[in-house]
Amino acid sequence: MLRTFTCLFFAATATFAADSLRQATPWASGVGLSDRIADHPEDWPLLMKHFAYVTPENCMKPAATQPSAGVWRLEGPDRFVEFARSKDLKVVGHCLVWAKDDRTPAWFYQDGAKPASKEVLLARMKEHIDKMVGRYRGRIATWDVVNEALADGGGYLRDSGWTRACGEEFIAKAFEYAHAADPDALLIYNDYNNELDGKREQMLKLLASLRARGAPVHAVGLQGHYEIDRIPYEALEKTLIALREAKLKVVVSELDIDVIPRGRWWADNGSHHEEMSKINPYANGCPPEILARQAEQYAKLFKLFQKYPDVIARVSFWNLHDGQSWLNKFPWQRVNYPLLFDRQGQPKPAFTAVMKELTTPTSK
Ligand code: G3I
């Protein structure tokens, strides 16, 4: 009798785990969500079945929260945080400083007719961080503190109003201010392509330097915006090992696999834009062979992640299902299929492959 009960119990548990990402992953399972999730009850069952952490896609960014000096727009973030509380989901605050000129409201950098001095810029940054982290203290326990500060194509830091005024000090200060505003929060440095050879070294240099300054960086975000057939498995593994050695946690913060490769968009000074902006090969549906390839590549990625459960603290997808992906619009308009769920919120082959990887002991 007891044996029958035990078998039934384990069968039931296994069935549930095989069906729910958040039950099956050894790390926290998260997703970046449209800011208006509270108005879309049709999305809630899928969200709550698979995810425990939610990142607001846009409404907490500096450009959204403080578009002009002292003008705060916090209704969106307040609603998002309240929604998460009501559903028992944890919020990742995204982001306090986005170290790019086109993502930083211009007023931050200006002091009348002249560029703001380092002191003025840091004071503004402190005020922004104090307000955001202080307001949600006790309700947001994880923050992307600085986003995308590393340069592309070599060098060290990205050129921006931040670096021009402060060098790398603004990054250390952002972490100090966030920690002072909420000493219990987990603080993340977040970037893209930071697992690749070259940018990885830039990142490790930055992290070492921040550590030497005593800046409280607790984890590194690898955004994970990948393209089909170009997933950098080896570089990713090297990065996971390097960050383990640096005693830092990793979050895969914005995962997706684009099925319409976009890398060439940025090549040759943008000379392919016109030609590429006409590419929309799967407007009437994604061919099964592409979905199968994507599934295989997602599974291989999760197989790799599973080798590092001591390093990886969270894996968050960037958007809930294919219909909501930012990759339908960026860098050009096309019908895309980068996630685990289709436009109806139904599991794709990629979901099945990932769940198989997560729940089949022999495949590890
Ligand atoms: O809401 C306005 C709408 O009113 C307006 O008509 C329309 C015209 O362009 O723009 C709409 O805003 C857009 C917004 O997304 C909502 O769709 C912005 O132009 C557009 O710039 C914005 O893009 C976001 C992008 O960050 C820039 O903030 C994407 O949704 C968001 O997915 C993306 O997320 C970033 C992460 O924060 C950091 N890592 C990379 C990731 C992908 O780029």
Side-chain angles (χ1 to χ4, degrees):
M1 171 70 184
L2 181 64
R3 211 168 132 206
T4 312
F5 173 78
T6 311
C7 289
L8 283 174
F9 174 77
F10 281 118
T13 312
T15 308
F16 188 47
D19 198 23
S20 155
L21 202 57
R22 67 185 278 181
Q23 296 281 323
T25 52
W27 45 75
S29 172
V31 63
L33 282 182
S34 147
D35 306 321
R36 304 197 61 90
I37 182 68
D39 300 330
H40 291 278
E42 69 279 12
D43 287 341
W44 301 349
L46 183 67
L47 168 63
M48 285 154 63
K49 177 166 180 178
H50 296 289
F51 303 103
Y53 277 70
V54 290
T55 308
E57 189 174 3
N58 288 309
C59 69
M60 263 183 215
K61 293 170 176 174
T65 51
Q66 201 186 175
S68 327
V71 175
W72 291 92
R73 299 260 154 78
L74 298 171
E75 308 82 359
D78 283 354
R79 283 197 79 205
F80 191 94
V81 170
E82 174 50 24
F83 165 78
R85 190 206 54 76
S86 73
K87 301 289 178 207
D88 207 16
L89 298 161
K90 296 190 166 65
V91 177
V92 179
H94 174 83
C95 51
L96 295 170
V97 177
W98 193 340
K100 265 182 161 175
D101 285 351
D102 59 347
R103 301 300 183 199
T104 301
W107 68 266
F108 263 96
Y109 294 153
Q110 279 306 119
D111 192 3
K114 53 182 188 357
S117 64
K118 172 171 142 184
E119 290 67 31
V120 169
L121 199 47
L122 291 181
R124 288 174 177 168
M125 183 172 83
K126 182 173 187 313
E127 203 179 325
H128 188 83
I129 291 177
D130 281 351
K131 175 89 165 188
M132 294 302 294
V133 178
R135 185 179 186 92
Y136 300 110
R137 187 172 168 174
R139 292 182 291 162
I140 296 186
T142 305
W143 281 98
D144 287 341
V145 177
V146 176
N147 193 39
E148 302 177 1
L150 295 167
D152 294 316
Y156 182 36
L157 297 182
R158 177 191 305 285
D159 177 59
S160 72
W162 295 103
T163 48
R164 289 191 290 277
C166 314
E168 71 171 38
E169 195 181 337
F170 82 93
I171 306 176
K173 288 291 179 201
F175 281 91
E176 278 174 33
Y177 299 154
H179 186 62
D182 184 353
D184 296 325
L186 182 93
L187 304 181
I188 299 172
Y189 174 76
N190 193 46
D191 215 323
Y192 61 86
N193 287 349
N194 43 340
E195 69 277 71
L196 300 186
D197 297 350
K199 205 160 173 183
R200 178 196 317 113
E201 280 69 39
Q202 292 165 235
M203 171 178 74
L204 293 172
K205 174 177 165 185
L206 172 63
L207 294 169
S209 173
L210 291 171
R211 179 164 286 169
R213 288 169 183 265
V217 182
H218 305 131
V220 168
L222 307 175
Q223 292 183 3
H225 292 299
Y226 299 126
E227 297 175 44
I228 196 163
D229 303 331
R230 294 169 202 189
I231 299 174
Y233 300 105
E234 276 178 37
L236 185 52
E237 181 150 27
K238 277 194 203 162
T239 306
L240 293 171
I241 292 169
L243 290 170
R244 174 195 269 160
E245 278 167 12
K247 301 204 171 0
L248 281 160
K249 291 288 180 199
V250 168
V251 296
V252 179
S253 52
E254 306 179 12
L255 182 59
D256 43 32
I257 302 181
D258 193 333
V259 296
I260 305 161
R262 61 185 184 273
R264 218 161 58 89
W265 182 266
W266 291 277
D268 307 319
N269 291 321
S271 60
H272 308 294
H273 286 189
E274 203 187 322
E275 161 210 343
M276 290 187 78
S277 59
K278 295 185 190 119
I279 298 177
N280 190 13
Y282 312 132
N284 298 317
C286 193
E289 62 273 19
I290 301 287
L291 293 178
R293 234 159 66 215
Q294 182 191 48
E296 198 184 299
Q297 294 174 24
Y298 257 121
K300 190 169 166 192
L301 200 51
F302 274 71
K303 191 183 188 77
L304 173 60
F305 293 163
Q306 285 192 98
K307 287 172 69 183
Y308 298 91
D310 58 320
V311 184
I312 297 178
R314 170 169 50 88
V315 175
S316 288
F317 290 82
W318 204 240
N319 303 120
L320 189 58
H321 65 63
D322 284 346
Q324 296 178 355
S325 169
W326 68 294
L327 291 168
N328 291 298
K329 297 186 199 145
F330 182 90
W332 74 94
Q333 199 87 24
R334 61 213 188 282
V335 181
N336 217 328
Y337 304 82
L339 297 164
L340 300 189
F341 303 101
D342 71 14
R343 285 171 163 71
Q344 284 70 46
Q346 293 303 310
K348 292 166 58 188
F351 174 79
T352 311
V354 163
M355 290 305 291
K356 186 168 172 222
E357 190 53 55
L358 288 166
T359 56
T360 310
T362 48
S363 70
K364 283 170 208 163

